[in-house]
Amino acid sequence: MIWEFSPASKPMVAIMREILRKYPKCEFGRELFPGNPIPILRVSGGKTTADVADWGYLTQKGKRVYNARSETLLEKPLFGKDFVQNRCVIPVTGFCEWDGDGTGWDFLPQEEEMLYLAGVCRKKAEGWEATVVTEHAAGYVGEIHHRTPLILSGENLRQWLYDEAQARQFLEEAKERVLLKRKKMEGETL
């Protein structure tokens, strides 16, 4: 999975403004890969704040874990505590997946300006790292790939960040919360 990032939407402009105020030299590429810095929204001092995290938790063995399955997230020592204390949201303008034939597909919001991916984050020596929560794919994504990010609507954003009981419910119910459109990527194959 690759996330697409474009600072053109109004919500993303506000997020980037806050990030650049904190980190004036911060830059994001158009496509974000595991290990890259990514924008996140997290709770700090009872308020939602924009921040930067490296995509994926780096384990003691040097392996980067960039996805956390919703079905097992709470059971995993790597993620369980962070689900309770450090849920985050990764704002993106779309994401890409590849089908069994190696054809790339873009998934973009149909009615909203952005997608908000549910995640967990943790503090490291310098900064943060974040992992996206995935669930069984449904709808357009399910026709291409068996997993999808747990995508929140703008309305669900605060519930994920502030309401642990509601966040647990999101983990249990794999469903499309945001309408997506699918577009074949031009000339992109694995």
Side-chain angles (χ1 to χ4, degrees), residues 101-136:
D101 298 328
T103 302
W105 295 87
D106 282 326
F107 294 92
L108 307 164
Q110 188 171 312
E111 296 176 350
E112 300 195 25
E113 290 185 79
M114 296 178 45
L115 299 175
Y116 299 98
L117 311 183
V120 292
C121 61
R122 69 180 181 184
K123 187 80 172 136
K124 56 182 190 166
E126 293 183 24
W128 292 86
E129 53 190 8
T131 295
V132 68
V133 176
T134 65
E135 63 184 354
H136 289 290

Side-chain angles (χ1 to χ4, degrees), residues 90-101:
I90 300 104
V92 297
T93 51
F95 65 95
C96 311
E97 285 291 1
W98 283 261
D99 64 20
D101 298 328

Side-chain angles (χ1 to χ4, degrees), residues 77-176:
L78 186 61
F79 305 121
K81 183 177 110 181
D82 293 327
F83 173 81
V84 173
Q85 298 175 355
N86 292 311
R87 288 182 305 281
C88 68
V89 172
I90 300 104
V92 297
T93 51
F95 65 95
C96 311
E97 285 291 1
W98 283 261
D99 64 20
D101 298 328
T103 302
W105 295 87
D106 282 326
F107 294 92
L108 307 164
Q110 188 171 312
E111 296 176 350
E112 300 195 25
E113 290 185 79
M114 296 178 45
L115 299 175
Y116 299 98
L117 311 183
V120 292
C121 61
R122 69 180 181 184
K123 187 80 172 136
K124 56 182 190 166
E126 293 183 24
W128 292 86
E129 53 190 8
T131 295
V132 68
V133 176
T134 65
E135 63 184 354
H136 289 290
Y140 280 142
V141 182
E143 295 171 11
I144 303 298
H145 198 272
H146 66 286
R147 303 292 300 174
T148 186
L150 194 161
I151 302 170
L152 305 165
S153 69
E155 296 170 4
N156 300 142
L157 186 81
R158 290 189 60 76
Q159 292 172 319
W160 175 260
L161 290 173
Y162 291 91
D163 185 340
E164 184 182 341
Q166 183 62 55
R168 285 176 184 269
Q169 192 171 342
F170 289 143
L171 294 179
E172 295 171 7
E173 49 183 48
K175 68 177 190 176
E176 276 191 77

Side-chain angles (χ1 to χ4, degrees), residues 18-98:
E18 184 176 344
I19 288 173
L20 290 173
R21 186 176 44 77
K22 294 177 185 176
Y23 310 100
K25 295 181 181 180
C26 183
E27 291 184 17
F28 299 107
R30 183 186 173 283
E31 296 178 337
L32 304 174
F33 300 90
N36 288 163
I38 58 171
I40 64 168
L41 300 174
R42 62 180 187 82
V43 176
S44 177
K47 295 182 179 181
T48 304
T49 185
D51 217 322
V52 176
D54 291 336
W55 179 13
Y57 279 23
L58 199 55
T59 67
Q60 291 178 343
K61 294 181 180 179
K63 179 183 175 194
R64 190 164 297 279
V65 181
Y66 51 90
N67 289 338
R69 290 176 171 258
S70 61
E71 305 90 330
T72 59
L73 176 85
L74 298 172
E75 302 164 10
K76 301 285 183 181
L78 186 61
F79 305 121
K81 183 177 110 181
D82 293 327
F83 173 81
V84 173
Q85 298 175 355
N86 292 311
R87 288 182 305 281
C88 68
V89 172
I90 300 104
V92 297
T93 51
F95 65 95
C96 311
E97 285 291 1
W98 283 261

